[in-house]
Amino acid sequence: MKGFDYPFSLLVGQKKLVRALLVLAVSDKINSLLIAGGKGTGKTIAARSLKNISDMSIVNIPLNITEDNLFGGLDIKASLESGKSKFQQGILGKAENKILYIDEINLFPNEYINTILNVIETGFLQTERDGHSNKKIIESKLIGTMNPEEGFLNNSITDKFSIYVETDSNLNKEERLKILKRNLSLDKEDKITIEALKKEDKILSNKIHDAKKRLSGIKISESIITRAEVLIKEANCFGYRAGICLIHTARALAAIDNHQYITDENFQEAAELVLKHRKNILSETQNKNQIKSDKDNNDKTKSDKNKTAEKPNEKDNQKIESKSRISNNENDATEHNGNNTNNQNGISYKNSDTELADKIFKIKNLLSINEDNSFRKGMGKRNKTRTNELKGKSFGYTRSSQN
């Protein structure tokens, strides 16, 4: 249905996605959400329909946006009219108390994403452009959607997102039928279905409003902080952003569920939203090895001592091997020296061969014969027959003898 403002309650079977969006709307400490999923799983509808249950409107940021339009820059028209340089705010500077939405964020320039996330996290935007210095406090949130088949974001960027969720594409038969029926009803502009969905949105909006009131009353105990630290260590997350987001997400979920404190279910659900995109898989294997080595600390100490004792023996063996190789090479050289032969002119030279043994190469002696070219007989290709005439490199002139 073109141009229709889809209700938030239109979503079917995306429980994790709905919970993540509710956390984003309730908590002031959770300010960014990354949604990943395949085509047609409701990512865009879910992100844009959040405004129907929250007090924040959606600002769409296109992929082809320029740097000036995003962060601000020189207002050329106003500058020409006034004759003075005028600064114009970009979309980011105008998005006060709004939700920024970037579809296919994995195709967005990384430097832009980094800057937006830093501004969202700190709540402070400072622009230095065209001789203007502009500072502004911004309280906004960011939702990014992406299809992993088209590429993923690097770890440094995903870590800056407060929470992360993947859409569920494996829906059961009843859920798929419900989606089809709802969409067909919207195509027919069925007023009964639309009004029913809007009533559900109103219930969710009141739920968010009440959860915001309860949020400050949910205390964060020492046991919650300790448990968060344990989960972060098990997930091998870097930095402290994961622990902070984990506690605030669990707190928001407890407020949404109308709890007086953070339950185990709230904590586990928060861990799935916060730690999944920060989990270091490579370090996980190293961590298991480290835990195992801590248990076998005594055996490790003994093995280290044995390795240290074995090192001198290895060096001695290497020395012995090198000495034996040198002696073998000397013997080979002696044998070759005894096998000298004479050529037809009585000039002696060494007949040595190149040897290969244990990757040690012996350099062959070069044959040097100081034979006078004047005694060489015609052997060139230009001579059809052999003669007794003096020929060779010295033909063509006569060397005069010096007394």
Side-chain angles (χ1 to χ4, degrees):
M1 188 174 179
K2 297 181 179 180
F4 181 71
D5 188 9
Y6 289 96
F8 185 83
S9 301
L10 182 66
L11 295 174
V12 177
Q14 301 291 346
K15 182 179 179 180
K16 292 183 179 179
L17 176 57
V18 171
R19 297 281 285 181
L21 290 168
L22 292 178
V23 169
L24 186 70
V26 169
S27 178
D28 294 333
K29 304 297 182 180
I30 304 301
N31 44 48
S32 55
L33 167 63
L34 178 61
I35 305 172
K39 300 176 181 178
T41 53
K43 303 185 299 295
T44 301
I45 292 178
R48 292 179 175 174
S49 62
L50 182 61
K51 64 183 180 64
N52 294 326
I53 61 173
S54 65
D55 299 330
M56 306 177 72
S57 59
I58 303 294
V59 177
N60 183 65
I61 299 179
L63 293 178
N64 60 348
I65 191 171
T66 62
E67 189 173 352
D68 289 342
N69 290 334
L70 181 58
F71 303 111
L74 183 65
D75 190 342
I76 298 177
K77 182 178 180 181
S79 299
L80 291 175
E81 292 177 353
S82 62
K84 296 182 180 180
S85 179
K86 298 290 184 180
F87 182 82
Q88 184 181 20
Q89 291 286 351
I91 290 179
L92 194 58
K94 299 176 182 178
E96 177 65 24
N97 196 27
K98 295 181 180 180
I99 298 176
L100 300 172
Y101 172 64
I102 304 177
D103 191 15
E104 297 180 341
I105 194 171
N106 52 326
L107 306 180
F108 206 66
N110 288 340
E111 58 272 19
Y112 290 0
I113 303 174
N114 266 321
T115 304
I116 294 173
L117 287 169
N118 288 334
V119 171
I120 295 294
E121 187 175 17
T122 60
F124 181 75
L125 173 63
Q126 181 171 354
T127 309
E128 304 285 345
R129 294 183 64 84
D130 302 319
H132 290 273
S133 179
N134 186 270
K135 298 179 182 179
K136 190 172 183 180
I137 298 176
I138 297 177
E139 294 182 1
S140 301
K141 299 193 176 187
L142 173 66
I143 298 177
T145 58
M146 55 172 284
N147 185 355
E149 296 177 356
E150 300 173 351
F152 207 79
L153 297 170
N154 58 55
N155 294 335
S156 62
I157 293 179
T158 55
D159 179 67
K160 293 182 179 180
F161 279 91
S162 302
I163 52 179
Y164 167 85
V165 66
E166 295 178 356
T167 57
D168 187 7
S169 58
N170 298 322
L171 303 180
N172 56 41
K173 182 178 180 181
E174 294 180 358
E175 291 172 336
R176 294 196 301 270
L177 289 174
K178 191 174 182 180
I179 292 173
L180 292 174
K181 290 179 180 180
R182 283 190 175 184
N183 279 274
L184 292 174
S185 298
L186 294 176
D187 290 339
K188 296 178 181 179
E189 297 184 0
D190 187 354
K191 294 182 178 180
I192 298 177
T193 302
I194 295 174
E195 290 297 326
L197 293 174
K198 287 184 177 180
K199 287 181 179 180
E200 293 181 14
D201 281 0
K202 184 62 176 178
I203 294 173
L204 287 175
S205 179
N206 295 333
K207 189 175 183 178
I208 292 174
H209 187 265
D210 295 337
K212 287 183 177 181
K213 293 181 178 179
R214 288 190 296 269
L215 187 64
S216 59
I218 299 176
K219 296 182 180 181
I220 301 173
S221 62
E222 189 69 25
S223 61
I224 291 295
I225 299 174
T226 303
R227 187 176 179 184
E229 193 276 334
V230 172
L231 287 178
I232 293 168
K233 185 177 180 180
E234 291 178 354
N236 302 286
C237 298
F238 300 127
Y240 301 98
R241 186 181 284 112
I244 296 171
C245 293
L246 177 58
I247 294 174
H248 287 302
T249 302
R251 192 183 188 187
L253 289 171
I256 294 171
D257 295 338
N258 196 15
H259 293 159
Q260 301 296 326
Y261 55 90
I262 299 174
T263 63
D264 292 340
E265 291 78 11
N266 297 143
F267 211 84
Q268 290 298 328
E269 186 178 0
E272 293 182 6
L273 296 174
V274 174
L275 303 181
K276 189 170 185 178
H277 63 297
R278 294 185 172 96
K279 192 173 183 179
N280 192 331
I281 298 177
L282 295 177
S283 296
E284 182 181 7
T285 304
Q286 297 174 358
N287 186 46
K288 290 181 180 179
N289 295 333
Q290 183 64 32
I291 294 173
K292 184 178 180 181
S293 64
D294 291 339
K295 294 180 180 179
D296 302 332
N297 191 25
N298 294 331
D299 295 338
K300 183 179 179 181
T301 304
K302 292 180 181 179
S303 63
D304 291 339
K305 290 181 179 180
N306 294 333
K307 290 180 181 179
T308 305
E310 291 174 358
K311 288 182 179 179
N313 296 331
E314 293 177 358
K315 292 182 179 179
D316 294 339
N317 293 333
Q318 291 178 357
K319 290 181 179 179
I320 294 171
E321 291 178 0
S322 62
K323 288 182 180 179
S324 62
R325 290 173 181 173
I326 292 172
S327 62
N328 292 333
N329 293 336
E330 291 177 352
N331 295 332
D332 295 338
T334 304
E335 292 177 1
H336 287 297
N337 290 335
N339 294 330
N340 293 339
T341 59
N342 296 331
N343 63 359
Q344 61 181 355
N345 294 319
I347 300 174
S348 63
Y349 61 91
K350 297 180 180 180
N351 183 15
S352 61
D353 298 323
T354 302
E355 297 180 357
L356 176 62
D358 294 335
K359 297 184 179 179
I360 295 179
F361 294 90
K362 183 178 178 181
I363 300 176
K364 182 170 71 173
N365 294 329
L366 296 177
L367 174 64
S368 59
I369 304 177
N370 296 325
E371 185 179 5
D372 192 349
N373 291 331
S374 63
F375 292 98
R376 294 174 57 195
K377 294 187 177 182
M379 298 291 291
K381 293 182 180 179
R382 295 182 180 180
N383 294 340
K384 296 182 179 180
T385 59
R386 296 184 181 181
T387 65
N388 293 327
E389 295 180 0
L390 301 179
K391 293 190 177 184
K393 291 184 179 180
S394 59
F395 77 92
Y397 68 92
T398 303
R399 184 181 296 175
S400 59
S401 60
Q402 298 180 356
N403 296 327

